[in-house]
Amino acid sequence: MKFSRHHNHLINETSPYLLQHVNNPVDWYPWGEKAFNKARKEQKPIFLSIGYSSCTWCHNMNRESFMDQEVAALLNQYYVSIKVDREERPDIDGLYMKACQMMTGHGGWPLTIIMTDDQVPFFAGTYFPKHQNYGLPGLMDILPTIAKKYAEDPQQIAEYMKKVEDALQDTLSKKSNESLTSEDSVRTYQQLNELFDYPYGGFYKEPKFPSPHHLSFLIHYYYKTGDKNALKMVDMTLKSIFQSSTWDHVGFGFFRYATDRKWMFPHFEKMLYDQAFLLDVSVDMFLITKDPFYQLKVNEIIQFVKREMTAENGCFYASLSADSNGEEGGYYLWSLEDIYSILGEDEGDLFAEAYGIVPVGVHQGKNLPYRSGISLESLASTYGIQVEKVKTTLTKSVDKLQKARSLRTAPATDDKILTSWNGYMIAALAKAGSVFQEENWINHAINTMKNLSDILIKDNRWFANYRQGKTNTKGFLDDYAAILWGYIELHQATMEIDHLKKAKTIANDMIKLFWDSNDGGFFFVANDAEQLISREKEIYDSPIPSGNSLASIQLSRLANLTGEMSYYSYVDTMMYTFYRELQDEPSGASFFMRNLFLQQDQTKQVIIIGENTEAFFNHIRKRYLPNIHIISATESSSLATLLPNGENYKKVNGQTTYYVCSNFHCNRPTTSIQKALEEVITESKQKGELL
């Protein structure tokens, strides 16, 4: 990025979002004591603006207001202005987003906060135009009015601040005497069923987020109960998205969300976390349904991420912006003339009919491809060709359009390396590689974890983000939970004991740094990091699972893998910690509610000692078996530090031996693969998954 000679205090930052504001006439500061000291010295309130690089309305507010000399003059005269990248500092964002929601009833980005020099907010909102518009007050009115109130009526400001501080404290989770039970998982399903939009898939009417945490819960609910409607909701949602304009049919990948019920008008950001979690869910759906459609989409998601969101070292970038050349979504739009000029008349006709391309599209007169609902069989009949010919022709057309689109000015890439989001992608990629026996996917996940560790661990402490050789924020709960997930999936994909040892290390560190020893649950910010005005403990899922949700799932898995039930004690405590919060709306933490299945279902631990286990794993990989946990080693000595009495698991007669354990006892060891598989998959047989 080029900078003018007139820049503000963001000049030394590495965040792409902060650097987008470095030439603003606003005298921006990064979050830190320099800004707070200035506010104290000059007795000014702080104007805090939080956003992220791929946020369309953040760009709009920047163009309309922060680049404007009149707005800048007011901010520079009356305020100390701080700009924060929410993806670099999710702790700051989470705290002030909660404050905004309490104060206004809503939230979003850009997030606008006005607060005192000791960081207590007394005004909050999201996007504001320069002048009153869209039913919103304008900054030209807000800024002088609040500055005057701050200077002339400090008593009223102080009273309001006290209310905000008290309200934040009231939101902290306190341990209950009652625990969540299986009835709460049923209520979670019932709520999701009520929220489900049956004509079009997804939850709520609009806007529509993919909500992979809900889909994951429903998959587990189907596995537990056999309720086909739960599976139907997942299948309907995913296929609606994949066939709609919220899925990029030319370059692949998911857009962040849609503004309409039919998924046809997306916001064009592409976030790494969406790709990771929806990849994970798509793999599960393939395992359950054996539908080749999901295998195809798994391949396409991975193609996209490797092509457009992967750094040279194999780590993954954070996001792609919605805008290119100042136009939201323009990069992805096509005119009918574009299609014909690239594909020719015959191929263009077929593609236009298959993907809903018309002379005057609904996106600024252009088209965003979607599967029009015309079946391949109907297209084959119309054009007098075989169905396979239709498939191959459309695939070639997509390749041609992808090459042509690559010549356009692409949306900006936010090339930060975020620990948590990379952990999600590592886990999903390793799992996909294991299921589809794609060694290159597994190797990519392994190498990414290694390189991520090299750049983001300092003094045995994970940090949260990396860009241009710099990392300065200690890791949060989400970072540790995501890396734990990544190591567990790497172990399950490779059966390498080292991955499981590292999973135990990260779990132990997570407990030491984040666990609330008084009321249970994990704080978002570690005890060795910067402490804000409130130490948050979040259970509700957002577009992605909360840190507590993900941590609880992975601790349950680790307990069952290693037999160290102390991990389970933390999860059990969390069922008491979050009881009150989840009584009214358990679906708000649907990912966390999956743990009720892991706690109450019969789980099985399989310990394999010996070699030549591929035949066993080939059977296991073909099935959705969330309650089966496998450890494999060539010699029992490798298990001595991992399992209680691990060295006692011996080969029988020198042959590869299988120990299948459940409910704290093990069956007699067997050297028969068939017998071991029968013991492992007994429960799955009841649901129709036969050997």
Side-chain angles (χ1 to χ4, degrees):
M1 177 178 287
K2 294 181 179 179
F3 303 112
S4 71
R5 286 181 295 175
H6 304 287
H7 54 72
N8 51 47
H9 300 275
L10 303 178
I11 186 65
N12 294 318
E13 299 300 305
T14 59
S15 157
Y17 175 67
L18 298 186
L19 292 175
Q20 288 166 4
H21 297 80
V22 74
N23 295 133
N24 288 168
V26 178
D27 190 25
W28 291 113
Y29 283 78
W31 181 275
E33 281 304 311
K34 189 173 182 180
F36 298 128
N37 288 336
K38 178 179 171 67
R40 293 184 193 104
K41 181 179 179 181
E42 298 180 7
Q43 298 185 340
K44 291 180 177 179
I46 290 170
F47 181 89
L48 173 63
S49 178
I50 303 175
Y52 58 102
S53 177
S54 57
C55 165
T56 296
W57 283 99
C58 300
H59 297 322
N60 289 346
M61 194 166 176
N62 184 35
R63 284 193 296 267
E64 295 173 3
S65 298
F66 300 143
M67 292 294 292
D68 183 85
Q69 294 290 345
E70 290 183 312
V71 173
L74 288 177
L75 283 169
N76 296 341
Q77 180 179 356
Y78 295 116
Y79 297 86
V80 173
S81 299
I82 294 178
K83 179 63 77 170
V84 167
D85 182 339
R86 68 173 292 259
E87 294 168 355
E88 280 196 338
R89 292 299 303 267
D91 54 334
I92 298 171
D93 175 64
L95 172 63
Y96 291 106
M97 182 61 71
K98 180 178 283 189
C100 179
Q101 291 167 338
M102 290 191 307
M103 295 162 75
T104 69
H106 66 275
W109 299 278
L111 177 60
T112 302
I113 297 289
I114 298 179
M115 64 185 188
T116 63
D117 54 43
D118 51 4
Q119 306 174 21
V120 181
F122 57 89
F123 177 86
T126 54
Y127 164 83
F128 290 104
K130 177 182 177 181
H131 296 289
Q132 182 176 342
N133 204 351
Y134 317 115
L136 297 169
L139 287 177
M140 294 300 292
D141 297 318
I142 292 171
L143 295 175
T145 299
I146 292 180
K148 183 178 180 182
K149 175 70 70 174
Y150 183 81
E152 296 179 359
D153 196 352
Q155 181 63 34
Q156 184 177 352
I157 297 293
E159 290 173 359
Y160 196 77
M161 288 164 47
K162 181 67 166 57
K163 291 179 181 178
V164 171
E165 287 183 296
D166 290 344
L168 286 171
Q169 288 301 311
D170 287 343
T171 66
L172 298 181
S173 305
K174 303 294 183 184
K175 190 174 179 181
S176 170
N177 292 323
E178 297 182 78
S179 173
L180 295 165
T181 68
S182 58
E183 293 180 2
D184 296 297
S185 66
V186 175
R187 292 197 304 114
T188 302
Y189 168 70
Q190 291 170 341
Q191 287 185 356
L192 291 178
N193 193 26
E194 291 171 2
L195 294 171
F196 193 73
D197 188 359
Y198 273 94
Y200 307 110
F203 305 90
Y204 302 99
K205 296 296 186 284
E206 55 190 44
K208 298 286 270 295
F209 287 84
S211 303
H213 46 288
H214 290 338
L215 305 181
S216 183
F217 171 86
L218 290 169
I219 289 172
H220 279 67
Y221 191 84
Y222 165 75
Y223 178 80
K224 164 71 174 173
T225 67
D227 189 326
K228 293 182 179 180
N229 188 59
L231 192 64
K232 177 183 176 182
M233 285 193 275
V234 181
D235 192 53
M236 184 184 298
T237 298
L238 287 176
K239 287 183 175 173
S240 293
I241 295 172
F242 277 123
Q243 292 167 358
S244 75
S245 296
T246 299
W247 169 256
D248 180 0
H249 291 270
V250 172
F252 312 139
F254 297 94
F255 297 118
R256 183 164 167 255
Y257 70 96
T259 60
D260 67 309
R261 290 181 68 187
K262 298 181 181 181
W263 307 95
M264 299 303 288
F265 292 87
H267 263 297
F268 290 91
E269 305 99 324
K270 288 184 177 179
M271 316 301 291
L272 178 62
Y273 59 72
D274 281 326
Q275 319 310 317
F277 279 103
L278 288 163
L279 171 60
D280 180 68
V281 171
S282 297
V283 172
D284 284 345
M285 283 299 287
F286 173 80
L287 287 172
I288 288 176
T289 67
K290 302 300 186 290
D291 188 339
F293 175 85
Y294 288 111
Q295 182 173 7
L296 172 65
K297 293 308 173 186
V298 163
N299 274 276
E300 290 178 350
I301 296 168
I302 293 172
Q303 280 184 50
F304 161 69
V305 171
K306 294 182 76 169
R307 185 182 66 246
E308 297 191 36
M309 300 193 78
T310 303
E312 289 185 7
N313 66 356
C315 295
F316 303 107
Y317 296 139
S319 64
L320 302 181
S321 177
D323 299 359
S324 56
N325 291 327
E327 179 184 8
E328 183 185 359
Y331 178 75
Y332 301 101
L333 302 180
W334 304 88
S335 67
L336 188 59
E337 291 76 15
D338 293 333
I339 301 299
Y340 284 128
S341 67
I342 295 166
L343 302 181
E345 185 172 347
D346 291 343
E347 195 174 329
D349 280 343
L350 179 63
F351 185 88
E353 191 161 358
Y355 287 94
I357 309 297
V358 295
V360 181
V362 297
H363 297 271
Q364 306 152 39
K366 294 187 177 182
N367 298 273
L368 187 59
Y370 67 97
R371 284 294 285 118
S372 62
I374 301 174
S375 69
L376 295 179
E377 289 75 15
S378 294
L379 289 169
S381 176
T382 299
Y383 289 90
I385 57 178
Q386 298 296 316
V387 171
E388 282 303 313
K389 179 67 173 176
V390 173
K391 289 182 181 179
T392 57
T393 301
L394 290 176
T395 299
K396 290 177 181 177
S397 297
V398 167
D399 289 342
K400 291 177 184 178
L401 292 172
Q402 193 179 111
K403 289 183 176 69
R405 198 175 74 178
S406 70
L407 301 176
R408 299 176 178 179
T409 301
T413 300
D414 187 334
D415 58 359
K416 293 192 303 290
I417 306 298
L418 296 174
T419 300
S420 58
W421 298 7
N422 271 258
Y424 306 150
M425 195 67 214
I426 288 168
L429 191 59
K431 179 175 173 179
S434 176
V435 168
F436 296 107
Q437 298 184 49
E438 291 282 354
E439 288 296 323
N440 60 325
W441 295 353
I442 297 172
N443 289 335
H444 188 162
I446 292 169
N447 291 333
T448 300
M449 184 66 89
K450 178 185 179 301
N451 292 329
L452 198 69
S453 303
D454 289 343
I455 62 178
L456 278 157
I457 295 179
K458 294 182 180 180
D459 299 324
N460 296 317
R461 178 71 159 87
W462 277 91
F463 277 63
N465 52 68
Y466 174 91
R467 187 172 187 265
Q468 295 182 349
K470 294 183 180 180
T471 180
N472 52 21
T473 305
K474 290 181 176 179
F476 304 103
L477 171 62
D478 293 33
D479 300 306
Y480 278 73
I483 295 300
L484 174 57
W485 183 24
Y487 274 127
I488 289 176
E489 292 297 350
L490 286 174
H491 170 262
Q492 293 293 275
T494 66
M495 288 296 134
E496 292 181 11
I497 296 299
D498 186 57
H499 295 312
L500 198 54
K501 289 180 179 178
K502 289 178 178 176
K504 286 185 66 175
T505 298
I506 200 80
N508 294 338
D509 289 346
M510 181 176 72
I511 292 165
K512 180 176 68 176
L513 290 167
F514 299 96
W515 182 254
D516 180 355
S517 57
N518 293 320
D519 287 300
F522 291 97
F523 290 113
F524 184 73
V525 176
N527 52 34
D528 67 343
E530 178 187 359
Q531 301 301 308
L532 304 177
I533 59 170
S534 176
R535 196 175 180 199
E536 297 298 295
K537 190 195 302 178
E538 187 58 70
I539 187 58
Y540 289 116
D541 302 324
S542 57
I544 57 177
S546 70
N548 272 292
S549 292
L550 188 56
S552 68
I553 293 289
Q554 302 313 320
L555 286 177
S556 293
R557 296 180 71 192
L558 194 59
N560 284 297
L561 275 167
T562 64
E564 292 191 13
M565 302 312 290
S566 60
Y567 293 127
Y568 237 147
S569 68
Y570 292 100
V571 178
D572 185 63
T573 298
M574 294 168 81
M575 296 297 166
Y576 290 87
T577 300
F578 299 112
Y579 173 82
R580 292 190 184 95
E581 283 181 81
L582 298 180
Q583 276 307 288
D584 292 335
E585 193 179 358
S587 62
S590 57
F591 202 79
F592 179 76
M593 301 306 285
R594 281 178 47 190
N595 244 323
L596 293 171
F597 306 136
L598 291 173
Q599 281 190 312
Q600 296 164 11
D601 285 3
Q602 183 185 57
T603 59
K604 293 184 179 180
Q605 181 189 46
V606 184
I607 301 151
I608 308 172
I609 305 297
E611 300 174 340
N612 303 318
T613 58
E614 194 60 27
F616 177 86
F617 282 110
N618 283 342
H619 280 288
I620 294 297
R621 290 186 185 112
K622 296 175 183 177
R623 290 164 173 81
Y624 179 73
L625 298 169
N627 291 351
I628 306 301
H629 306 87
I630 304 173
I631 294 181
S632 178
T634 55
E635 298 294 339
S636 58
S637 58
S638 302
L639 304 180
T641 60
L642 273 177
L643 305 178
N645 304 310
E647 66 279 1
N648 293 333
Y649 295 96
K650 305 288 188 182
K651 293 180 184 176
V652 174
N653 298 326
Q655 299 181 58
T656 296
T657 303
Y658 301 85
Y659 295 80
V660 180
C661 311
S662 61
N663 295 335
F664 307 104
H665 75 274
C666 295
N667 298 341
R668 293 187 62 172
T670 180
T671 58
S672 165
I673 292 177
Q674 185 66 23
K675 189 173 190 310
L677 287 169
E678 288 173 354
E679 291 179 359
V680 168
I681 310 179
T682 300
E683 184 180 351
S684 295
K685 284 184 177 182
Q686 296 171 4
K687 296 180 173 64
E689 289 203 32
L690 302 176
L691 292 178

